[in-house]
Amino acid sequence: MKAGVCFNFQNYQDWERFEAKAVDRAPVVSDQQIWDEELRLYGLADPLGFDAMWALDHHFAPYIMSGSPLFQLSHFAGLSSRLDVGSMVIVLPWYDPITIAEQICVLDQMLQGRRLILGVGRGVAQREFDTYRVPLSESRGRFMESIEIIRLALTQEWFSFEGEHFTIPETTIRPRPRTANLAGTLKAAWVSPESLSILANAGVGMLLTNQKSWDGYQKDVRDFNAVRADRGWEPLQPTVVVNVSCADSADEAWEVILRHTIEMQDSIERHYHFTDSAQFKNAAGYDYYASFGKTLTKKTPEEIGEFNAEPQAWGTPQQCLEKIEYIQRMTSAEEFIFSFRYGGMPADVAERSMRLFAEHVLPHVHAWDPRAVAAGG
């Protein structure tokens, strides 16, 4: 079983100053400090024995200051000669798919045979769509056309495309991919049942980005593979994201994960404004988010934090291992991405958790055969 890491580049302490646009005030924590800390944490991934480094794609707010994931992954390619890299996710509607295809091919060359896993998604934050000047209502169409264009670019030396959103004259991408089936690494993230069906029919893999209960994801994996079965395709197993708080005692681990999950959920609301369901009213394909926001308004921040923290991998190393075993059984995960820092968590707290996990949990995870749990959970 492979196990990667991701870090969020969150500047949670800067939300108040950011929302007030108080440019005359210095931030409590600078963006530079956050980046320095998390690049150092990423640098531990190889010596501690993890298998991959993953990058996110968010912009224009303290929520996640990641910038382009492919830029990050290019840097990660130079941090290690052993680790694979992956995106979780590239939000395709924001970009020109030809640019993304070319950057993918360049990064594939730089990795010189290591894996590049291409997680993709369609996004939901109005702030990001507005700043990229892309209508939220066009996201699904742009997303699906982008997948098709990227596949053509990676599999055919010469190609063209004509769609509703993109028209590509006959062209080619150079350098050509080094990896023979690079397009086969495409994995998509989703939330709504409608998106699940569309993506399963599109032939992409599954990337479960920790936005549902494990029960909910178990059903999603079964439904996804049922669509594939109807088309005569083999079942797939997903890549699964899990938040971790590993400590010497369960009490310490719970205190850490609860506090910083509350902060993380607060940051999510400040970025996405899910409780403002009106923003999704005229956006095709976002009905699920409108109903999701109504549910959130009925809960306190503490209730939301506890609901989201409890299912994660927290506790002593043995308790973390047991929780990950449970998640693997529920989701039939073929690979994990572990997130060790979220909300306003201090870097030293994340590092202690990461080191304890790497010493006592990671060897057991590596020993698992992910095929032992049949796809579908």
Side-chain angles (χ1 to χ4, degrees):
M1 172 77 75
K2 289 186 177 294
V5 298
C6 72
F7 292 95
N8 296 307
F9 298 97
Q10 292 187 319
N11 194 344
Y12 180 73
Q13 289 86 349
D14 201 41
W15 267 113
E16 182 182 352
R17 190 189 70 90
F18 171 81
E19 290 175 333
K21 298 182 181 178
V23 296
D24 57 326
R25 286 163 35 196
V28 175
V29 177
S30 70
D31 294 352
Q32 177 182 332
Q33 178 179 331
I34 298 295
W35 265 80
D36 287 349
E37 291 171 346
E38 304 220 343
L39 287 176
R40 187 179 63 80
L41 290 170
Y42 268 117
L44 297 175
D46 192 349
L48 290 180
F50 291 93
D51 303 296
M53 293 181 281
W54 293 76
L56 291 83
D57 189 8
H58 283 291
H59 310 264
F60 316 128
Y63 169 55
I64 291 175
M65 310 177 297
S66 56
S68 167
L70 290 168
F71 283 175
Q72 281 195 41
L73 296 181
S74 296
H75 174 71
F76 296 164
L79 285 180
S80 166
S81 60
R82 179 182 68 86
L83 267 60
D84 300 328
V85 300
S87 57
M88 56 168 288
V89 297
I90 304 169
V91 182
L92 294 180
W94 297 338
Y95 308 114
D96 182 331
I98 290 294
T99 299
I100 296 298
E102 184 177 50
Q103 291 176 355
I104 287 169
C105 289
V106 169
L107 179 54
D108 184 44
Q109 294 293 336
M110 295 166 69
L111 288 167
Q112 296 186 309
R114 284 177 283 159
R115 285 193 314 156
L116 168 57
I117 309 98
L118 300 169
V120 295
R122 68 185 179 106
V124 65
Q126 189 73 59
R127 181 201 317 275
E128 290 167 310
F129 276 90
D130 287 349
T131 308
Y132 275 119
R133 303 167 306 284
V134 174
L136 188 63
S137 60
E138 295 182 4
S139 70
R140 178 168 285 163
R142 287 176 175 268
F143 176 67
M144 297 307 298
E145 287 188 19
S146 293
I147 287 179
E148 189 172 350
I149 292 165
I150 290 169
R151 271 191 173 144
L152 288 170
L154 298 182
T155 59
Q156 299 185 21
E157 185 165 358
W158 289 94
F159 67 97
S160 61
F161 180 86
E162 185 170 349
E164 179 183 355
H165 303 286
F166 301 105
T167 298
I168 312 296
E170 187 177 39
T171 190
T172 184
I173 298 295
R174 303 297 292 268
R176 299 303 299 151
R178 177 187 293 261
T179 303
N181 187 30
L182 186 55
T185 71
L186 278 167
K187 293 175 178 276
W190 71 86
V191 175
S192 72
E194 183 183 7
S195 292
L196 180 154
S197 178
I198 293 171
L199 292 170
N201 277 295
V204 298
M206 291 178 276
L207 178 58
L208 310 186
T209 54
N210 211 336
Q211 300 179 71
K212 294 186 178 184
S213 68
W214 303 124
D215 286 338
Y217 272 134
Q218 182 183 51
K219 181 179 184 304
D220 277 4
V221 172
R222 288 174 173 166
D223 290 347
F224 195 97
N225 280 324
V227 173
R228 290 183 58 84
D230 288 343
R231 298 184 64 109
W233 297 340
E234 292 294 319
L236 296 177
Q237 293 177 257
T239 297
V240 179
V241 181
V242 182
N243 293 344
V244 177
S245 174
C246 192
D248 293 325
S249 73
D251 288 345
E252 178 187 354
W254 176 246
E255 180 184 355
V256 168
I257 197 169
L258 179 60
R259 179 191 314 130
H260 299 302
T261 300
I262 290 172
E263 294 170 345
M264 177 69 170
Q265 293 301 313
D266 177 52
S267 194
I268 288 172
E269 172 57 25
R270 288 171 135 167
H271 183 64
Y272 289 104
H273 302 291
F274 282 135
T275 55
D276 177 18
S277 58
Q279 67 176 310
F280 304 112
K281 184 177 180 181
N282 298 315
Y286 287 93
D287 296 342
Y288 179 90
Y289 290 95
S291 61
F292 175 65
K294 292 176 183 177
T295 301
L296 290 177
T297 60
K298 301 176 182 178
K299 295 183 178 181
T300 67
E302 291 73 20
E303 290 172 333
I304 294 171
E306 186 169 346
F307 177 82
N308 285 279
E310 197 282 330
Q312 306 304 311
W314 59 271
T316 64
Q318 181 60 36
Q319 289 172 317
C320 287
L321 181 62
E322 291 169 358
K323 180 56 69 72
I324 296 165
E325 287 177 322
Y326 170 76
I327 295 169
Q328 207 273 331
R329 289 197 305 272
M330 293 297 287
T331 64
S332 72
E334 69 172 1
E335 181 174 16
F336 281 108
I337 304 169
F338 294 117
S339 176
F340 290 96
R341 192 185 191 193
Y342 33 88
M345 184 187 296
D348 63 329
V349 174
E351 181 175 346
R352 285 198 302 271
S353 174
M354 186 178 179
R355 288 184 178 277
L356 192 62
F357 184 95
E359 181 178 358
H360 298 289
V361 182
L362 187 59
H364 296 283
V365 175
H366 277 155
W368 295 343
D369 178 359
R371 296 167 297 180
V373 176

